[in-house]
Amino acid sequence: MGGRRPKLTADQAALAQRLYDEREKTVQQIADMFSVPRSTVYGHLDKTKTVPRQPKRTATTKP
């Protein structure tokens, strides 16, 4: 089997997926927990189960 070994173990990837899905932590916070770049976290997230995050809406007031 060639190629690089995954940076995250299966347990770490499952924890990252849970934290991301439950919106407990941001991708950057998850990456910092495991000392990996954000791109690694995104690579381990299950694209079929992951719900994309919506941008935070800011309250706009009309003058």
Side-chain angles (χ1 to χ4, degrees):
M1 302 264 190
R4 289 180 174 238
R5 292 187 181 144
K7 284 284 191 179
L8 300 181
T9 64
D11 290 338
Q12 289 173 328
L15 176 60
Q17 182 75 48
R18 186 181 63 77
L19 292 173
Y20 182 81
D21 289 342
E22 293 177 1
R23 297 189 176 13
E24 289 183 23
K25 304 240 181 243
T26 64
V27 173
Q28 184 62 57
Q29 290 169 331
I30 296 168
D32 291 342
M33 282 175 52
F34 298 118
S35 301
V36 296
R38 285 181 309 166
S39 58
T40 299
V41 175
Y42 280 117
H44 283 278
L45 294 178
D46 186 357
K47 279 123 182 108
T48 59
K49 294 182 193 174
T50 303
V51 177
R53 292 189 179 200
Q54 299 297 319
K56 289 185 179 180
R57 295 181 186 211
T58 57
T60 56
T61 57
K62 292 185 179 180

Short mmCIF file of all heavy atoms in Angstrom, two decimals:
data_model
loop_
_atom_site.label_atom_id
_atom_site.label_comp_id
_atom_site.label_asym_id
_atom_site.label_seq_id
_atom_site.Cartn_x
_atom_site.Cartn_y
_atom_site.Cartn_z
N MET A 1 0.85 -1.17 0.00
CA MET A 1 0.00 0.00 0.00
C MET A 1 0.90 1.24 0.00
O MET A 1 1.68 1.43 0.92
CB MET A 1 -0.87 0.03 1.25
CG MET A 1 -1.75 -1.16 1.43
SD MET A 1 -3.34 -0.79 0.77
CE MET A 1 -4.24 -2.17 1.34
N GLY A 2 0.74 2.04 -0.99
CA GLY A 2 1.56 3.24 -1.08
C GLY A 2 0.83 4.46 -0.51
O GLY A 2 -0.30 4.38 -0.06
N GLY A 3 1.52 5.54 -0.52
CA GLY A 3 0.91 6.80 -0.08
C GLY A 3 1.24 7.15 1.36
O GLY A 3 1.83 6.36 2.10
N ARG A 4 0.84 8.34 1.73
CA ARG A 4 1.09 8.81 3.09
C ARG A 4 0.09 8.20 4.07
O ARG A 4 -1.04 7.92 3.72
CB ARG A 4 0.94 10.32 3.16
CG ARG A 4 2.03 11.07 2.49
CD ARG A 4 1.77 12.56 2.64
NE ARG A 4 2.88 13.30 2.12
CZ ARG A 4 3.58 14.17 2.82
NH1 ARG A 4 3.25 14.44 4.05
NH2 ARG A 4 4.60 14.80 2.29
N ARG A 5 0.53 8.11 5.29
CA ARG A 5 -0.38 7.68 6.35
C ARG A 5 -1.26 8.86 6.73
O ARG A 5 -0.81 10.01 6.71
CB ARG A 5 0.41 7.24 7.57
CG ARG A 5 1.19 5.98 7.34
CD ARG A 5 1.82 5.50 8.63
NE ARG A 5 2.58 4.30 8.36
CZ ARG A 5 3.71 4.01 8.95
NH1 ARG A 5 4.23 4.82 9.82
NH2 ARG A 5 4.34 2.90 8.66
N PRO A 6 -2.50 8.58 7.10
CA PRO A 6 -3.39 9.68 7.52
C PRO A 6 -2.85 10.35 8.78
O PRO A 6 -2.31 9.69 9.67
CB PRO A 6 -4.72 9.00 7.81
CG PRO A 6 -4.64 7.65 7.19
CD PRO A 6 -3.19 7.29 7.08
N LYS A 7 -2.99 11.67 8.86
CA LYS A 7 -2.54 12.41 10.04
C LYS A 7 -3.43 12.13 11.24
O LYS A 7 -2.97 12.14 12.37
CB LYS A 7 -2.54 13.92 9.76
CG LYS A 7 -1.41 14.38 8.92
CD LYS A 7 -0.16 14.42 9.74
CE LYS A 7 0.96 15.13 9.00
NZ LYS A 7 2.15 15.21 9.77
N LEU A 8 -4.72 11.93 11.00
CA LEU A 8 -5.65 11.67 12.09
C LEU A 8 -6.02 10.19 12.10
O LEU A 8 -6.23 9.58 11.05
CB LEU A 8 -6.93 12.50 11.92
CG LEU A 8 -6.78 14.01 11.89
CD1 LEU A 8 -8.15 14.67 11.74
CD2 LEU A 8 -6.08 14.52 13.13
N THR A 9 -6.12 9.64 13.31
CA THR A 9 -6.59 8.25 13.43
C THR A 9 -8.08 8.22 13.18
O THR A 9 -8.74 9.27 13.10
CB THR A 9 -6.29 7.71 14.84
OG1 THR A 9 -7.05 8.46 15.78
CG2 THR A 9 -4.81 7.79 15.17
N ALA A 10 -8.64 7.04 13.08
CA ALA A 10 -10.08 6.90 12.87
C ALA A 10 -10.86 7.52 14.03
O ALA A 10 -11.89 8.17 13.81
CB ALA A 10 -10.44 5.44 12.69
N ASP A 11 -10.38 7.34 15.26
CA ASP A 11 -11.05 7.92 16.42
C ASP A 11 -10.98 9.44 16.40
O ASP A 11 -11.96 10.12 16.71
CB ASP A 11 -10.43 7.41 17.72
CG ASP A 11 -10.74 5.94 17.97
OD1 ASP A 11 -11.74 5.44 17.42
OD2 ASP A 11 -9.98 5.31 18.73
N GLN A 12 -9.82 9.98 16.03
CA GLN A 12 -9.67 11.43 15.96
C GLN A 12 -10.57 12.01 14.86
O GLN A 12 -11.19 13.05 15.04
CB GLN A 12 -8.22 11.81 15.69
CG GLN A 12 -7.31 11.57 16.86
CD GLN A 12 -5.85 11.80 16.51
OE1 GLN A 12 -5.44 11.57 15.38
NE2 GLN A 12 -5.08 12.26 17.49
N ALA A 13 -10.64 11.33 13.72
CA ALA A 13 -11.48 11.80 12.61
C ALA A 13 -12.95 11.76 13.02
O ALA A 13 -13.72 12.68 12.69
CB ALA A 13 -11.25 10.94 11.37
N ALA A 14 -13.36 10.73 13.76
CA ALA A 14 -14.75 10.64 14.22
C ALA A 14 -15.06 11.76 15.21
O ALA A 14 -16.14 12.36 15.17
CB ALA A 14 -15.01 9.28 14.86
N LEU A 15 -14.12 12.05 16.10
CA LEU A 15 -14.30 13.14 17.05
C LEU A 15 -14.38 14.48 16.33
O LEU A 15 -15.24 15.31 16.63
CB LEU A 15 -13.16 13.16 18.07
CG LEU A 15 -13.18 14.32 19.07
CD1 LEU A 15 -14.45 14.29 19.91
CD2 LEU A 15 -11.95 14.27 19.97
N ALA A 16 -13.51 14.69 15.35
CA ALA A 16 -13.54 15.93 14.57
C ALA A 16 -14.88 16.08 13.85
O ALA A 16 -15.46 17.17 13.83
CB ALA A 16 -12.39 15.93 13.57
N GLN A 17 -15.38 14.99 13.29
CA GLN A 17 -16.67 15.02 12.60
C GLN A 17 -17.79 15.39 13.57
O GLN A 17 -18.64 16.22 13.27
CB GLN A 17 -16.96 13.66 11.97
CG GLN A 17 -18.25 13.61 11.18
CD GLN A 17 -18.13 14.30 9.85
OE1 GLN A 17 -17.18 14.07 9.12
NE2 GLN A 17 -19.07 15.15 9.53
N ARG A 18 -17.77 14.79 14.76
CA ARG A 18 -18.82 15.08 15.76
C ARG A 18 -18.76 16.53 16.21
O ARG A 18 -19.79 17.20 16.29
CB ARG A 18 -18.68 14.15 16.96
CG ARG A 18 -19.82 14.30 17.97
CD ARG A 18 -19.66 13.40 19.16
NE ARG A 18 -18.48 13.67 19.96
CZ ARG A 18 -18.38 14.69 20.83
NH1 ARG A 18 -19.38 15.53 21.00
NH2 ARG A 18 -17.28 14.85 21.52
N LEU A 19 -17.56 17.02 16.51
CA LEU A 19 -17.42 18.40 16.95
C LEU A 19 -17.87 19.38 15.87
O LEU A 19 -18.50 20.40 16.15
CB LEU A 19 -15.96 18.69 17.33
CG LEU A 19 -15.44 17.98 18.57
CD1 LEU A 19 -13.94 18.22 18.72
CD2 LEU A 19 -16.17 18.43 19.81
N TYR A 20 -17.55 19.05 14.62
CA TYR A 20 -17.94 19.92 13.52
C TYR A 20 -19.45 19.90 13.32
O TYR A 20 -20.08 20.95 13.17
CB TYR A 20 -17.22 19.49 12.24
CG TYR A 20 -17.53 20.38 11.07
CD1 TYR A 20 -16.87 21.60 10.91
CD2 TYR A 20 -18.47 20.03 10.12
CE1 TYR A 20 -17.14 22.42 9.85
CE2 TYR A 20 -18.76 20.85 9.04
CZ TYR A 20 -18.09 22.05 8.92
OH TYR A 20 -18.38 22.87 7.86
N ASP A 21 -20.04 18.70 13.32
CA ASP A 21 -21.49 18.57 13.10
C ASP A 21 -22.31 19.22 14.21
O ASP A 21 -23.36 19.79 13.95
CB ASP A 21 -21.89 17.10 12.95
CG ASP A 21 -21.41 16.51 11.63
OD1 ASP A 21 -21.08 17.29 10.71
OD2 ASP A 21 -21.37 15.27 11.54
N GLU A 22 -21.84 19.09 15.44
CA GLU A 22 -22.57 19.67 16.57
C GLU A 22 -22.26 21.15 16.76
O GLU A 22 -22.79 21.77 17.67
CB GLU A 22 -22.24 18.88 17.84
CG GLU A 22 -22.77 17.47 17.80
CD GLU A 22 -22.39 16.65 19.02
OE1 GLU A 22 -21.71 17.20 19.92
OE2 GLU A 22 -22.77 15.47 19.07
N ARG A 23 -21.39 21.68 15.91
CA ARG A 23 -21.03 23.08 15.94
C ARG A 23 -20.45 23.53 17.28
O ARG A 23 -20.63 24.64 17.72
CB ARG A 23 -22.20 23.97 15.55
CG ARG A 23 -22.64 23.71 14.12
CD ARG A 23 -23.62 24.68 13.62
NE ARG A 23 -24.08 24.64 12.28
CZ ARG A 23 -23.97 23.73 11.35
NH1 ARG A 23 -23.31 22.66 11.59
NH2 ARG A 23 -24.47 23.85 10.15
N GLU A 24 -19.76 22.59 17.92
CA GLU A 24 -19.11 22.90 19.19
C GLU A 24 -17.83 23.69 18.96
O GLU A 24 -17.48 24.54 19.76
CB GLU A 24 -18.78 21.61 19.96
CG GLU A 24 -20.00 20.91 20.50
CD GLU A 24 -19.63 19.68 21.32
OE1 GLU A 24 -18.50 19.62 21.83
OE2 GLU A 24 -20.48 18.80 21.44
N LYS A 25 -17.13 23.36 17.89
CA LYS A 25 -15.84 24.00 17.60
C LYS A 25 -15.78 24.36 16.12
O LYS A 25 -16.42 23.73 15.29
CB LYS A 25 -14.70 23.05 17.92
CG LYS A 25 -14.69 22.54 19.34
CD LYS A 25 -13.43 22.93 20.02
CE LYS A 25 -13.39 22.40 21.43
NZ LYS A 25 -13.37 23.43 22.40
N THR A 26 -14.96 25.34 15.82
CA THR A 26 -14.72 25.69 14.42
C THR A 26 -13.66 24.75 13.86
O THR A 26 -12.99 24.03 14.61
CB THR A 26 -14.22 27.14 14.29
OG1 THR A 26 -12.95 27.24 14.94
CG2 THR A 26 -15.20 28.12 14.91
N VAL A 27 -13.51 24.76 12.55
CA VAL A 27 -12.51 23.91 11.92
C VAL A 27 -11.12 24.29 12.43
O VAL A 27 -10.28 23.42 12.68
CB VAL A 27 -12.60 24.01 10.39
CG1 VAL A 27 -11.45 23.26 9.73
CG2 VAL A 27 -13.92 23.45 9.90
N GLN A 28 -10.87 25.59 12.61
CA GLN A 28 -9.57 26.02 13.10
C GLN A 28 -9.32 25.49 14.51
O GLN A 28 -8.22 25.05 14.83
CB GLN A 28 -9.46 27.54 13.08
CG GLN A 28 -8.09 28.05 13.50
CD GLN A 28 -6.98 27.59 12.57
OE1 GLN A 28 -7.04 27.86 11.38
NE2 GLN A 28 -5.98 26.90 13.09
N GLN A 29 -10.34 25.53 15.36
CA GLN A 29 -10.17 25.02 16.73
C GLN A 29 -9.92 23.51 16.72
O GLN A 29 -9.10 23.01 17.50
CB GLN A 29 -11.41 25.35 17.56
CG GLN A 29 -11.55 26.82 17.86
CD GLN A 29 -12.90 27.16 18.46
OE1 GLN A 29 -13.90 26.48 18.20
NE2 GLN A 29 -12.94 28.20 19.27
N ILE A 30 -10.61 22.78 15.85
CA ILE A 30 -10.40 21.34 15.74
C ILE A 30 -8.97 21.06 15.25
O ILE A 30 -8.28 20.20 15.77
CB ILE A 30 -11.44 20.70 14.80
CG1 ILE A 30 -12.85 20.85 15.38
CG2 ILE A 30 -11.11 19.23 14.53
CD1 ILE A 30 -13.96 20.52 14.41
N ALA A 31 -8.53 21.83 14.25
CA ALA A 31 -7.18 21.66 13.73
C ALA A 31 -6.14 21.93 14.81
O ALA A 31 -5.15 21.20 14.93
CB ALA A 31 -6.97 22.58 12.53
N ASP A 32 -6.38 22.95 15.62
CA ASP A 32 -5.45 23.27 16.70
C ASP A 32 -5.40 22.15 17.74
O ASP A 32 -4.35 21.86 18.30
CB ASP A 32 -5.82 24.59 17.37
CG ASP A 32 -5.59 25.79 16.47
OD1 ASP A 32 -4.84 25.66 15.47
OD2 ASP A 32 -6.18 26.86 16.75
N MET A 33 -6.54 21.51 18.00
CA MET A 33 -6.59 20.41 18.96
C MET A 33 -5.66 19.27 18.55
O MET A 33 -5.00 18.65 19.39
CB MET A 33 -8.02 19.83 19.06
CG MET A 33 -8.98 20.64 19.87
SD MET A 33 -10.66 19.96 19.81
CE MET A 33 -10.41 18.26 20.25
N PHE A 34 -5.62 18.98 17.25
CA PHE A 34 -4.86 17.85 16.75
C PHE A 34 -3.52 18.27 16.13
O PHE A 34 -2.80 17.43 15.59
CB PHE A 34 -5.67 17.07 15.71
CG PHE A 34 -6.93 16.49 16.27
CD1 PHE A 34 -8.18 16.86 15.78
CD2 PHE A 34 -6.90 15.56 17.29
CE1 PHE A 34 -9.34 16.33 16.29
CE2 PHE A 34 -8.06 15.01 17.81
CZ PHE A 34 -9.28 15.40 17.31
N SER A 35 -3.19 19.55 16.20
CA SER A 35 -1.93 20.08 15.65
C SER A 35 -1.76 19.75 14.18
O SER A 35 -0.71 19.27 13.74
CB SER A 35 -0.74 19.56 16.46
OG SER A 35 -0.85 19.93 17.80
N VAL A 36 -2.82 19.98 13.42
CA VAL A 36 -2.80 19.77 11.97
C VAL A 36 -3.38 21.01 11.30
O VAL A 36 -4.07 21.81 11.95
CB VAL A 36 -3.62 18.52 11.56
CG1 VAL A 36 -3.01 17.26 12.13
CG2 VAL A 36 -5.08 18.64 11.96
N PRO A 37 -3.13 21.20 10.00
CA PRO A 37 -3.74 22.33 9.31
C PRO A 37 -5.24 22.11 9.06
O PRO A 37 -5.73 20.97 9.12
CB PRO A 37 -2.98 22.41 7.99
CG PRO A 37 -2.23 21.15 7.86
CD PRO A 37 -2.15 20.50 9.19
N ARG A 38 -5.94 23.19 8.80
CA ARG A 38 -7.39 23.09 8.55
C ARG A 38 -7.68 22.18 7.37
O ARG A 38 -8.68 21.46 7.37
CB ARG A 38 -7.98 24.47 8.28
CG ARG A 38 -8.13 25.31 9.50
CD ARG A 38 -8.75 26.65 9.18
NE ARG A 38 -8.00 27.23 8.07
CZ ARG A 38 -8.40 28.26 7.36
NH1 ARG A 38 -9.53 28.85 7.60
NH2 ARG A 38 -7.66 28.74 6.38
N SER A 39 -6.85 22.21 6.35
CA SER A 39 -7.08 21.39 5.16
C SER A 39 -7.12 19.90 5.51
O SER A 39 -7.86 19.13 4.90
CB SER A 39 -6.02 21.66 4.10
OG SER A 39 -4.73 21.40 4.61
N THR A 40 -6.32 19.49 6.50
CA THR A 40 -6.33 18.10 6.94
C THR A 40 -7.67 17.75 7.57
O THR A 40 -8.23 16.69 7.31
CB THR A 40 -5.19 17.84 7.94
OG1 THR A 40 -3.95 18.10 7.27
CG2 THR A 40 -5.20 16.42 8.46
N VAL A 41 -8.20 18.67 8.39
CA VAL A 41 -9.50 18.42 9.02
C VAL A 41 -10.57 18.30 7.94
O VAL A 41 -11.39 17.38 7.96
CB VAL A 41 -9.85 19.55 10.02
CG1 VAL A 41 -11.25 19.35 10.58
CG2 VAL A 41 -8.83 19.58 11.14
N TYR A 42 -10.56 19.23 6.98
CA TYR A 42 -11.54 19.17 5.89
C TYR A 42 -11.42 17.86 5.12
O TYR A 42 -12.42 17.28 4.70
CB TYR A 42 -11.37 20.34 4.93
CG TYR A 42 -11.99 21.62 5.43
CD1 TYR A 42 -11.21 22.74 5.68
CD2 TYR A 42 -13.36 21.74 5.64
CE1 TYR A 42 -11.75 23.92 6.13
CE2 TYR A 42 -13.92 22.91 6.09
CZ TYR A 42 -13.12 24.01 6.32
OH TYR A 42 -13.68 25.17 6.77
N GLY A 43 -10.21 17.38 4.93
CA GLY A 43 -9.99 16.13 4.21
C GLY A 43 -10.55 14.92 4.93
O GLY A 43 -10.93 13.93 4.30
N HIS A 44 -10.64 15.00 6.25
CA HIS A 44 -11.15 13.87 7.04
C HIS A 44 -12.66 13.96 7.30
O HIS A 44 -13.24 12.99 7.77
CB HIS A 44 -10.41 13.77 8.37
CG HIS A 44 -9.04 13.18 8.24
ND1 HIS A 44 -8.82 11.82 8.18
CD2 HIS A 44 -7.81 13.75 8.15
CE1 HIS A 44 -7.52 11.59 8.07
NE2 HIS A 44 -6.89 12.76 8.04
N LEU A 45 -13.28 15.10 7.02
CA LEU A 45 -14.73 15.21 7.22
C LEU A 45 -15.46 14.42 6.14
O LEU A 45 -15.06 14.43 4.98
CB LEU A 45 -15.17 16.68 7.19
CG LEU A 45 -14.66 17.56 8.32
CD1 LEU A 45 -15.14 19.00 8.10
CD2 LEU A 45 -15.10 17.06 9.67
N ASP A 46 -16.52 13.75 6.53
CA ASP A 46 -17.33 12.96 5.60
C ASP A 46 -18.22 13.91 4.81
O ASP A 46 -19.13 14.51 5.36
CB ASP A 46 -18.16 11.94 6.38
CG ASP A 46 -18.91 11.00 5.46
OD1 ASP A 46 -18.84 11.16 4.23
OD2 ASP A 46 -19.58 10.09 5.98
N LYS A 47 -17.96 14.02 3.53
CA LYS A 47 -18.69 14.99 2.70
C LYS A 47 -20.15 14.62 2.50
O LYS A 47 -20.99 15.48 2.24
CB LYS A 47 -18.01 15.15 1.35
CG LYS A 47 -16.83 16.08 1.44
CD LYS A 47 -15.58 15.46 0.99
CE LYS A 47 -14.37 16.33 1.10
NZ LYS A 47 -13.49 15.92 2.14
N THR A 48 -20.50 13.34 2.66
CA THR A 48 -21.90 12.93 2.48
C THR A 48 -22.74 13.25 3.70
O THR A 48 -23.94 13.46 3.59
CB THR A 48 -22.01 11.43 2.18
OG1 THR A 48 -21.44 10.69 3.26
CG2 THR A 48 -21.29 11.09 0.89
N LYS A 49 -22.12 13.30 4.88
CA LYS A 49 -22.86 13.57 6.12
C LYS A 49 -22.75 15.02 6.57
O LYS A 49 -23.59 15.50 7.31
CB LYS A 49 -22.32 12.70 7.26
CG LYS A 49 -22.53 11.24 7.09
CD LYS A 49 -21.99 10.53 8.30
CE LYS A 49 -21.86 9.05 8.10
NZ LYS A 49 -21.19 8.41 9.23
N THR A 50 -21.70 15.71 6.16
CA THR A 50 -21.42 17.04 6.67
C THR A 50 -22.39 18.06 6.10
O THR A 50 -22.57 18.15 4.89
CB THR A 50 -19.97 17.45 6.33
OG1 THR A 50 -19.11 16.47 6.88
CG2 THR A 50 -19.64 18.80 6.89
N VAL A 51 -22.99 18.81 7.00
CA VAL A 51 -23.89 19.88 6.61
C VAL A 51 -23.06 21.16 6.52
O VAL A 51 -22.37 21.52 7.48
CB VAL A 51 -25.01 20.07 7.66
CG1 VAL A 51 -25.91 21.23 7.29
CG2 VAL A 51 -25.79 18.79 7.81
N PRO A 52 -23.09 21.84 5.36
CA PRO A 52 -22.30 23.05 5.26
C PRO A 52 -22.77 24.10 6.26
O PRO A 52 -23.97 24.23 6.51
CB PRO A 52 -22.52 23.53 3.82
CG PRO A 52 -23.38 22.54 3.17
CD PRO A 52 -23.82 21.53 4.17
N ARG A 53 -21.85 24.81 6.81
CA ARG A 53 -22.20 25.86 7.76
C ARG A 53 -22.66 27.10 7.02
O ARG A 53 -22.12 27.44 5.98
CB ARG A 53 -20.99 26.21 8.63
CG ARG A 53 -20.63 25.08 9.54
CD ARG A 53 -19.60 25.54 10.52
NE ARG A 53 -19.29 24.43 11.40
CZ ARG A 53 -18.72 24.58 12.56
NH1 ARG A 53 -18.39 25.76 13.00
NH2 ARG A 53 -18.47 23.55 13.32
N GLN A 54 -23.64 27.73 7.58
CA GLN A 54 -24.11 28.99 7.03
C GLN A 54 -23.33 30.12 7.66
O GLN A 54 -23.00 30.06 8.84
CB GLN A 54 -25.61 29.17 7.32
CG GLN A 54 -26.47 28.08 6.70
CD GLN A 54 -26.38 28.08 5.19
OE1 GLN A 54 -26.37 29.12 4.56
NE2 GLN A 54 -26.28 26.89 4.61
N PRO A 55 -23.06 31.17 6.90
CA PRO A 55 -22.35 32.29 7.51
C PRO A 55 -23.21 32.92 8.60
O PRO A 55 -24.44 32.88 8.54
CB PRO A 55 -22.13 33.26 6.35
CG PRO A 55 -22.97 32.77 5.24
CD PRO A 55 -23.36 31.36 5.52
N LYS A 56 -22.53 33.46 9.60
CA LYS A 56 -23.26 34.10 10.69
C LYS A 56 -23.94 35.35 10.15
O LYS A 56 -23.35 36.12 9.40
CB LYS A 56 -22.31 34.48 11.82
CG LYS A 56 -21.80 33.30 12.58
CD LYS A 56 -20.97 33.75 13.74
CE LYS A 56 -20.48 32.56 14.52
NZ LYS A 56 -19.66 32.95 15.64
N ARG A 57 -25.17 35.50 10.53
CA ARG A 57 -25.91 36.69 10.09
C ARG A 57 -25.76 37.77 11.15
O ARG A 57 -25.93 37.52 12.34
CB ARG A 57 -27.37 36.34 9.90
CG ARG A 57 -27.56 35.37 8.78
CD ARG A 57 -29.00 35.06 8.57
NE ARG A 57 -29.09 34.00 7.57
CZ ARG A 57 -30.10 33.89 6.74
NH1 ARG A 57 -31.09 34.72 6.79
NH2 ARG A 57 -30.10 32.92 5.85
N THR A 58 -25.47 38.94 10.69
CA THR A 58 -25.34 40.05 11.61
C THR A 58 -26.63 40.87 11.56
O THR A 58 -27.28 40.97 10.51
CB THR A 58 -24.15 40.96 11.24
OG1 THR A 58 -24.31 41.41 9.90
CG2 THR A 58 -22.84 40.19 11.37
N ALA A 59 -26.96 41.41 12.68
CA ALA A 59 -28.18 42.21 12.74
C ALA A 59 -27.95 43.53 12.03
O ALA A 59 -27.01 44.27 12.33
CB ALA A 59 -28.57 42.46 14.19
N THR A 60 -28.77 43.80 11.04
CA THR A 60 -28.65 45.06 10.33
C THR A 60 -29.81 45.94 10.73
O THR A 60 -30.96 45.50 10.80
CB THR A 60 -28.66 44.85 8.80
OG1 THR A 60 -29.85 44.15 8.44
CG2 THR A 60 -27.46 44.04 8.36
N THR A 61 -29.50 47.14 10.98
CA THR A 61 -30.56 48.11 11.35
C THR A 61 -30.66 49.16 10.28
O THR A 61 -29.65 49.61 9.72
CB THR A 61 -30.23 48.77 12.71
OG1 THR A 61 -28.96 49.41 12.59
CG2 THR A 61 -30.20 47.75 13.83
N LYS A 62 -31.86 49.51 9.99
CA LYS A 62 -32.08 50.54 8.98
C LYS A 62 -32.05 51.91 9.66
O LYS A 62 -32.57 52.08 10.74
CB LYS A 62 -33.43 50.34 8.30
CG LYS A 62 -33.45 49.08 7.47
CD LYS A 62 -34.74 48.95 6.72
CE LYS A 62 -34.73 47.70 5.86
NZ LYS A 62 -35.94 47.53 5.13
N PRO A 63 -31.42 52.88 9.01
CA PRO A 63 -31.32 54.21 9.63
C PRO A 63 -32.64 54.93 9.67
O PRO A 63 -33.59 54.68 9.08
CB PRO A 63 -30.34 54.96 8.73
CG PRO A 63 -30.12 54.13 7.52
CD PRO A 63 -30.69 52.79 7.79
#
